[in-house]
Amino acid sequence: LFTPESKQKFQKYKKFAVRLNAWHFLPDHRIKNHEGLWELDYDRNANDSFYDLEGNEYSFPPPCYDPRRFIEEEYFSESTRPLDCWAGENGVTKMPAWMLNILVCDARHEAAIQKENRERERRNYEKETAKLHEAKEEFDNNMKAAYIKEIVKLRAEKLELENMLEKSNKDLQACKDERAMPRRHKVCKFKK
């Protein structure tokens, strides 16, 4: 298709036609003719070199352009919705079927991506919530364990103090009992 012979044939004969999709070619490599149709810009006096977006050199216009950019540049402005550009009477669109198909595919793809993002955010929220609940439960369990440990320690101290008090009371009673007895018996160990 892009051999030097094809290029010469195209430049020589005006009737020579090849059907290509203009949206695959860079703006510098295509022109609109007087009928409003796109043509490759094989000007007879043009340079024999064509360059792609990365600066690689070709002897033909390389089909390396983005169709979406072509549509945006040629048919839409930033403030106009694509369907509004082609609005006809009674809400019937005059948009070419292929362009409508691209828009429908893009809309479906975008909707699928948004759905996937919402689902991912929901899963992340559930994971984070579960982690927070686990951390709270672990904290509560640790607090309960520390509280129980402290209660056990306090009870042991209380029991020890009660035992000491009971022993002191017994010793005191024994001392009182000894004082009440005649002196020939044991002498009280405690002095006033």
Side-chain angles (χ1 to χ4, degrees):
L1 179 65
F2 292 115
T3 62
E5 295 83 25
S6 297
K7 183 177 175 182
Q8 288 173 357
K9 191 175 179 182
F10 179 78
Q11 289 174 335
K12 187 174 180 183
Y13 304 109
K14 292 184 180 184
K15 295 287 183 183
F16 179 77
V18 176
R19 295 195 183 266
L20 298 171
N21 296 322
W23 53 84
H24 291 299
F25 296 94
L26 293 168
D28 296 348
H29 301 160
R30 57 181 149 81
I31 55 172
K32 271 191 180 179
N33 64 17
H34 63 280
E35 297 171 359
L37 301 174
W38 290 102
E39 294 180 348
L40 291 178
D41 189 11
Y42 275 129
D43 188 280
R44 291 190 182 135
N45 300 323
N47 192 353
D48 288 334
S49 297
F50 296 88
Y51 297 92
D52 64 7
L53 295 170
E54 285 99 32
N56 300 321
E57 185 177 350
Y58 297 89
S59 62
F60 55 87
C64 61
Y65 203 55
D66 181 16
R68 191 176 310 215
R69 282 184 63 189
F70 174 86
I71 292 169
E72 288 171 1
E73 291 168 0
E74 296 299 324
Y75 295 103
F76 306 133
S77 69
E78 291 181 19
S79 61
T80 308
R81 290 179 346 136
L83 289 175
D84 293 341
C85 292
W86 299 91
E89 295 178 15
N90 300 325
V92 177
T93 183
K94 295 179 180 178
M95 180 181 286
W98 63 267
M99 192 178 296
L100 187 58
N101 289 338
I102 287 176
L103 293 174
V104 168
C105 288
D106 281 348
R108 287 180 182 160
H109 180 71
E110 188 66 31
I113 288 173
Q114 288 175 356
K115 182 179 178 183
E116 184 179 313
N117 287 342
R118 283 192 305 269
E119 184 64 25
R120 185 180 311 116
E121 287 173 7
R122 185 189 60 77
R123 285 192 307 263
N124 287 342
Y125 175 77
E126 288 174 355
K127 284 180 186 176
E128 291 300 318
T129 303
K131 283 181 186 178
L132 288 173
H133 284 297
E134 287 176 12
K136 182 186 179 301
E137 194 173 311
E138 183 179 347
F139 176 78
D140 289 347
N141 290 338
N142 289 342
M143 289 302 290
K144 283 179 188 175
Y147 181 71
I148 290 170
K149 188 176 180 181
E150 191 65 26
I151 288 175
V152 169
K153 181 180 171 187
L154 290 173
R155 284 185 181 167
E157 289 176 2
K158 179 185 173 191
L159 186 62
E160 186 179 333
L161 289 172
E162 286 174 349
N163 289 339
M164 287 174 60
L165 181 62
E166 187 179 326
K167 185 177 180 210
S168 293
N169 286 338
K170 284 181 182 178
D171 287 345
L172 184 61
Q173 187 62 39
C175 207
K176 284 180 183 178
D177 290 344
E178 281 182 16
R179 283 189 182 172
M181 292 179 124
R183 287 228 164 220
R184 50 189 171 148
H185 296 287
K186 282 187 172 177
V187 180
C188 182
K189 297 177 186 174
F190 299 105
K191 294 183 180 178
K192 281 190 174 179

